[in-house]
Structure formats: structure tokens, C-alpha cells
Amino acid sequence: MSLQMHMEDFIQFFSGSNLSIDKANFDQFGLKAKIKHYQKGQLLITQGQPAPKLFFLIKGMVRYMSVSATGKEFTQSFAFAPGISGSTRAMTRNANALFSIEALDDVICLEFEWHVFFDQMQSQPGFLAAYNRLLENMFIKKEEREFAFVQQSAEQRYLTFLDMNPQLRDKISLKMIASHIGITPIALSRIRNKLK
């Protein structure tokens, strides 16, 4: 598919049901994107380095992961096509990323320079409404994850993970799932054996 067709997919995803944004709104800003391909295992952004780009995932899935000072790896979250990916903190504050984003399979995405993207469109009410909707969805997911860690048992978190992420069930390692739900791989094996 061409860059133009991918841009139309991005506009449709970004706009959602917000009819005040259409292709003409984006075209008038001359917004530039690059099509990028990342192979499984490659990093879209790297922990501790600047991460000024916004990614629209056209194909594939990624995980947000960080490594502690002692070398322990944590899986924070996942993102799937079609979807937006990047570090909001790194983009908006011009700071280094607190995590890496790793391709879990072959990923095709559109890549935007965040400041150009935001500066060109922040004066548009329709754009800001769509952007707010995306932020709301991110905050809701964050709240639900925090609730799970405080209120749910490890078994409940595992079952919720499977329910919310059926596309990951057979595609990622048990180590990643265990890290994501905050338990050890051994504890996860016990839970899985209990549920059989």
C-alpha cells in the first residue's frame, strides 16, 4: 500500500467518530510521515535515549518494556495495529524515554516527528478533541492496570490479561506475561497448572 493510503488509515483511526477531522484538515498542514519497517526484536525507541517520534502501527504489535539498574526486565504494556505508539513524556518534554518499545513481530508503521505533528494541528478544535479522546483511552487503561495490581489476585490478573489480550495468548512468552502481571514465571506456571 502507498503512503497516501496509510495516511488515510491513520486519519480514520485518529479521528474515530469525530467528524470534524477529515483528510483535508491533515492535507492543509502538509503533515509528513515516513513508512518504517521494524523486524521482530528491533526497538522503535530505546530506554534512556530521546524519543521524539509518534508511531501509527499499520501492521504488527509491540511491547513497552524497561530494564532496571540490576538488569531485571519489566513488560509494561502492549500496543497493536491499528494503534498509536510512543512515549508521551519523552515527546512532550523533549526528554529521554523511560522505556523501550520492542517489535514483537514484523511491524510496519507511519513515523511522525511529534513536535511538527502537534504544532501544526494544536490550533484545530477537531484535532484537539480527537487527541483528548486518545489520551482518555490511555488514562483509562492505566487506571484499570493500577486497579488490577491493588485489588486483584495474581490469578485474577492473569485471567483478565487473557480476556483483554486474546491475540497475545500464543504469541508471547510466559516470561513476558508474568512480568506484565507482576509475578515470577514460576508463580505463573503454578497458576496455569491450577487452572488446567
Side-chain angles (χ1 to χ4, degrees):
M1 289 177 70
S2 69
L3 175 60
Q4 186 65 26
M5 291 178 75
H6 289 315
M7 278 294 290
E8 289 173 8
D9 290 340
F10 167 71
I11 293 165
Q12 182 177 3
F13 173 85
F14 188 83
S15 302
S17 61
N18 182 354
L19 301 178
S20 60
I21 297 181
D22 60 23
K23 187 173 178 301
N25 294 126
F26 280 79
D27 287 347
Q28 70 178 324
F29 298 113
L31 188 64
K32 303 292 185 204
K34 294 179 182 174
I35 297 179
K36 298 286 283 190
H37 177 255
Y38 293 88
Q39 294 180 340
K40 181 178 180 178
Q42 282 189 300
L43 301 180
L44 284 69
I45 68 172
T46 303
Q47 181 178 344
Q49 295 185 11
K53 303 205 187 292
L54 175 72
F55 303 91
F56 173 63
L57 304 176
I58 298 165
K59 173 184 175 288
M61 58 184 176
V62 299
R63 74 168 174 144
Y64 290 55
M65 52 88 66
S66 59
V67 179
S68 71
T70 59
K72 187 172 181 182
E73 187 178 286
F74 298 90
T75 298
Q76 296 170 219
S77 62
F78 302 92
F80 314 93
I84 299 288
S85 190
S87 168
T88 303
R89 176 185 174 274
M91 289 186 297
T92 58
R93 294 187 176 178
N94 200 25
N96 291 339
L98 297 177
F99 52 81
S100 297
I101 298 178
E102 177 190 19
L104 291 177
D105 53 12
D106 284 354
V107 168
I108 298 173
C109 61
L110 292 181
E111 191 176 275
F112 300 90
E113 291 289 340
W114 167 253
H115 286 293
V116 174
F117 179 87
F118 193 71
D119 289 348
Q120 286 181 325
M121 289 183 288
Q122 65 179 327
S123 62
Q124 298 298 309
F127 166 76
L128 291 178
Y131 181 62
N132 285 339
R133 178 181 52 82
L134 290 175
L135 288 180
E136 284 172 2
N137 288 336
M138 288 190 333
F139 283 123
I140 288 168
K141 287 180 182 176
K142 184 175 183 296
E143 282 184 27
E144 290 172 344
R145 181 166 163 75
E146 289 170 353
F147 172 83
F149 273 98
V150 173
Q151 299 290 335
Q152 293 183 335
S153 67
E155 182 178 319
Q156 288 173 317
R157 292 198 303 275
Y158 175 61
L159 293 172
T160 298
F161 173 83
L162 293 180
D163 186 52
M164 300 295 289
N165 301 283
Q167 67 273 54
L168 290 176
R169 183 184 293 262
D170 301 316
K171 291 191 175 180
I172 64 172
S173 69
L174 294 180
K175 181 180 175 183
M176 282 186 199
I177 295 174
S179 172
H180 180 66
I181 64 174
I183 61 175
T184 66
I186 293 171
L188 179 57
S189 290
R190 290 195 193 108
I191 290 170
R192 285 165 53 85
N193 288 333
K194 177 185 171 186
L195 294 172
K196 283 182 180 177

